[in-house]
């Protein structure tokens, strides 16, 4: 018995998978930002308001970042009571 199988991939399949992956990364980074904002110091709310969720769709990478002068200090100072 001989069995032959021919597969012709759908050319748009990769694009659909990449788009779905980018959307999933976006959803996750937004959820992470929401969770992180619950734990940042809230003296005036500046740190929370500076938070951004960003996605590089080409590299399929997401990041959450904060942009205040003291954001790095908050992140790196493990002795702070967070």
């Amino acid at each position: 018995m001989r069995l032959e199988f021919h597969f012709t991939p759908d050319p748009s399949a990769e694009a659909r998978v990449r788009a779905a992956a980018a959307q999933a990364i976006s959803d996750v980074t937004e959820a992470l930002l929401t969770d992180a904002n619950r734990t940042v110091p809230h003296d005036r709310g500046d740190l929370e308001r500076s938070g951004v969720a960003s996605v590089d769709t080409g590299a399929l990478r997401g990041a959450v970042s904060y942009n205040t002068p003291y954001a790095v200090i908050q992140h790196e100072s493990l002795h702070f009571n967070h």
Side-chain angles (χ1 to χ4, degrees):
M1 170 189 252
R2 183 166 188 229
L3 180 62
E4 242 180 84
F5 180 73
H6 297 276
F7 176 70
T8 305
D10 179 353
S12 65
E14 182 179 358
R16 290 193 318 268
V17 168
R18 288 189 69 79
Q23 184 61 55
I25 292 168
S26 177
D27 293 346
V28 168
T29 55
E30 287 293 337
L32 179 59
L33 177 61
T34 298
D35 286 348
N37 280 339
R38 290 186 187 119
T39 63
V40 299
H42 289 94
D43 293 337
R44 293 185 315 212
D46 294 339
L47 185 60
E48 180 179 358
R49 283 190 300 277
S50 77
V52 175
S54 56
V55 176
D56 179 341
T57 56
L60 292 177
R61 291 185 184 156
V64 171
S65 59
Y66 290 88
N67 185 21
T68 63
Y70 51 88
V72 172
I73 296 167
Q74 282 290 330
H75 184 268
E76 298 300 325
S77 298
L78 300 178
H79 65 279
F80 284 0
N81 185 16
H82 292 109

